[in-house]
Amino acid sequence: MRVSVKVNGRLYENEVEGRTLLVHYLRGVLGLTGTNIGCDTSSCGACTVLMDGESVKSCTVLAVQADGAEITTIEGMAQPDGSLHPIQKAFWDNHGLQCGYCTPGMVMATASLLKENPHPSEEEVRMGLEGNLCRCTGYHNIVKSVLAAAATMDGQTEAVRS
Amino acid sequence: MIPAAFEYKRAGSVDEALSLLREYGDDAKVLAGGHSLLPLMKLRLATPSVLVDVGRIGELSYISLDGNEVAIGALSRHRDLQTSELLISRVPILAHVAGLIGDPQVRHRGTIGGSLSHGDPASDLPAVILALGGTLVVRSAARGERRIEAGNFWRGFLETALEPDELLCEIRVPIPEGAFSYQKFNRRAQDWAIVGVAAQANHSVAVSLVNMAATPVRARAVEEALSQGASPADAASLAAVDLDPPSDINGSSEYRRHLATVLVRRSLEEILGG
């Protein structure tokens, strides 16, 4: 089946099998390997991307379900000149990662969280990231990063390119 | 993990979906948000030869007041329920529990119709609709519309009263008058309930249980004891009467029976006072 998907602002049209998962389409067909595959069972959140502005686990969405949608992956967060998105900058500044495997998913989940709730409390951040697992950090610096990003962005949640 | 190959059919309207279901019937599964079905297909526990994608049928996504009931389109997502001002003010148990399902990513995709049709006894929404005394409106091309009481909808493990050519279109719930409590006991935030309890005070108190049988069940013995004036603690001691819940990695059958009595007591104390 032919799908037409706008990813990070660029329109792609491809022929895919019905059973192709969105994460395999992004990584295998489009070559956007920033989105990681972790558990592959919609538990860990490593494969989180934005679909029409909302976080989804791309291992549990078919590419055909994304036909006509706008997808943002971690590659779409920094500016074309390489300057980091405020969420990425906050993770960098606050040491919000160790091995980094969960980070693309954490950043995308954070983008969705801050769009829905631009000024979350610490508890709301912890609840808002319940769908993303990190096996290194114990989450403390991740939560710190999200709170710092919220303060920097101060409600400018449309900063995500699409 | 990749699902087995299937033929993908996208329905643009309810009529189109019903006509596809009439054509493919038993070989087809309905795809809404996909957050129950796709994991099963990836594990090859479900291998439908046709998927009928109803996910874009806009006419099935609404939450509206209709007399003394709230009507909910089957494609309303958990996030829609969680943030619905109408539900928050008139059927708060439904908005509250929708916000406890899975995690934000799951709530952005999963739908109430999908959850109820999938019929997993460990899911949150079936027990809530059961406690609210909801009605499920289903349609087929051959026989038109029929309405099924929630109490008659779940027939066995992942088995419902839906015929292969039928689509769940709307869920109707009477507006309750009293307080509610939802007790979800799990080990990690995003997990299914090991045991859950939905209690809704109305003219009487309705109590239903999550993950205590092959289907969501009403705790009838508890409800009857309450109506005869029993205290919350005494009524709650009857929570697991006649139930033989499953044993699995999260807990034995006996542990679940114990949890049910504790959680029912907590829920009754919350809505009725200790």
Side-chain angles (χ1 to χ4, degrees):
Chain A
M1 172 163 174
R2 195 147 191 87
V3 293
S4 155
V5 189
K6 199 171 181 185
V7 183
N8 302 329
R10 184 175 156 195
L11 192 66
Y12 296 88
E13 290 196 39
N14 299 92
E15 195 69 34
V16 298
E17 254 193 285
R19 60 176 168 166
T20 304
L21 300 170
L22 178 58
V23 69
H24 292 143
Y25 174 70
L26 293 171
R27 290 176 55 89
V29 179
L30 304 188
L32 296 170
T33 54
T35 303
N36 287 333
I37 298 174
C39 69
D40 204 10
T41 58
S42 52
S43 300
C44 78
C47 66
T48 299
V49 301
L50 302 185
M51 186 161 159
D52 293 328
E54 293 179 318
S55 59
V56 302
K57 293 179 175 177
S58 60
C59 75
T60 310
V61 176
L62 299 172
V64 288
Q65 289 179 291
D67 182 27
E70 292 196 11
I71 303 293
T72 308
T73 69
I74 190 68
E75 288 93 340
M77 294 300 277
Q79 292 300 313
D81 68 2
S83 56
L84 294 180
H85 184 279
I87 297 172
Q88 294 172 303
K89 181 81 167 47
F91 272 72
W92 181 311
D93 290 344
N94 291 280
H95 196 50
L97 59 144
Q98 286 182 30
C99 87
Y101 200 85
C102 72
T103 311
M106 286 287 179
V107 169
M108 303 318 291
T110 300
S112 185
L113 168 66
L114 295 183
K115 190 172 176 191
E116 290 169 2
N117 183 358
H119 300 289
S121 65
E122 181 186 332
E123 191 188 348
E124 287 169 336
V125 170
R126 289 183 183 276
M127 294 303 288
L129 295 180
E130 67 183 328
N132 293 72
L133 303 182
C134 170
R135 301 285 78 162
C136 303
T137 66
Y139 301 100
H140 290 293
N141 285 352
I142 291 175
V143 174
K144 212 157 86 179
S145 304
V146 176
L147 290 170
T152 309
M153 291 162 70
D154 194 25
Q156 301 300 305
T157 51
E158 297 300 334
V160 175
R161 287 194 288 134
S162 63
Chain B
M1 297 183 292
I2 300 169
F6 54 84
E7 200 178 338
Y8 175 82
K9 302 280 184 187
R10 183 182 296 158
S13 66
V14 172
D15 286 341
E16 203 179 328
L18 296 182
S19 129
L20 286 165
L21 288 175
R22 175 163 64 180
E23 188 174 349
Y24 296 104
D26 258 334
D27 300 327
K29 285 292 278 182
V30 174
L31 175 71
H35 275 52
S36 297
L37 181 58
L38 292 177
L40 284 187
M41 289 175 61
K42 288 170 69 177
L43 292 167
R44 310 272 171 127
L45 295 173
T47 53
S49 52
V50 177
L51 267 198
V52 176
D53 184 357
V54 299
R56 288 156 195 257
I57 303 180
E59 60 187 296
L60 287 184
S61 179
Y62 57 87
I63 302 171
S64 57
L65 191 62
D66 186 1
N68 57 0
E69 291 185 319
V70 171
I72 303 165
L75 283 180
S76 304
R77 305 167 310 154
H78 306 321
R79 169 84 189 160
D80 301 328
L81 270 58
Q82 183 186 357
T83 56
S84 159
E85 291 297 332
L86 179 61
L87 290 182
I88 290 168
S89 65
R90 308 305 289 274
V91 195
I93 186 173
L94 208 38
H96 173 74
V97 173
L100 299 176
I101 298 169
D103 52 48
Q105 291 97 319
V106 169
R107 296 193 288 270
H108 287 148
R109 296 292 298 161
T111 67
I112 182 171
S115 173
L116 300 186
S117 303
H118 185 59
D120 188 334
S123 294
D124 301 290
L125 290 180
V128 173
I129 297 301
L130 190 61
L132 285 167
T135 302
L136 290 82
V137 182
V138 310
R139 287 176 60 189
S140 64
R143 299 175 306 285
E145 179 183 303
R146 70 183 177 116
R147 295 182 172 216
I148 307 170
E149 299 296 318
N152 296 325
F153 187 72
W154 294 284
R155 297 287 174 80
F157 184 70
L158 303 187
E159 190 186 337
T160 71
L162 281 171
E163 297 293 337
D165 65 344
E166 281 179 329
L167 182 70
L168 172 58
C169 291
E170 185 178 271
I171 298 91
R172 303 182 68 85
V173 292
I175 293 170
E177 301 288 339
F180 77 88
S181 173
Y182 191 74
Q183 304 286 326
K184 182 171 183 172
F185 191 91
N186 55 15
R187 292 171 56 240
R188 298 176 305 180
Q190 62 179 203
D191 277 347
W192 281 273
I194 296 171
V195 171
V197 174
Q200 175 69 58
N202 209 345
H203 306 299
S204 56
V205 178
V207 179
S208 62
L209 305 173
V210 178
N211 218 359
M212 283 295 289
T215 65
V217 286
R218 287 281 283 269
R220 295 287 184 194
V222 174
E223 295 175 356
E224 274 167 36
L226 283 173
S227 70
Q228 287 163 18
S231 70
D234 287 346
S237 68
L238 304 171
V241 163
D242 292 335
L243 292 177
D244 183 21
S247 293
D248 59 29
I249 190 170
N250 289 311
S252 64
S253 183
E254 194 48 40
Y255 178 58
R256 283 197 161 86
R257 290 167 56 85
H258 168 72
L259 275 180
T261 60
V262 172
L263 297 173
V264 167
R265 178 176 53 74
R266 286 181 190 167
S267 70
L268 296 179
E269 286 171 354
E270 191 177 329
I271 60 176
L272 302 171

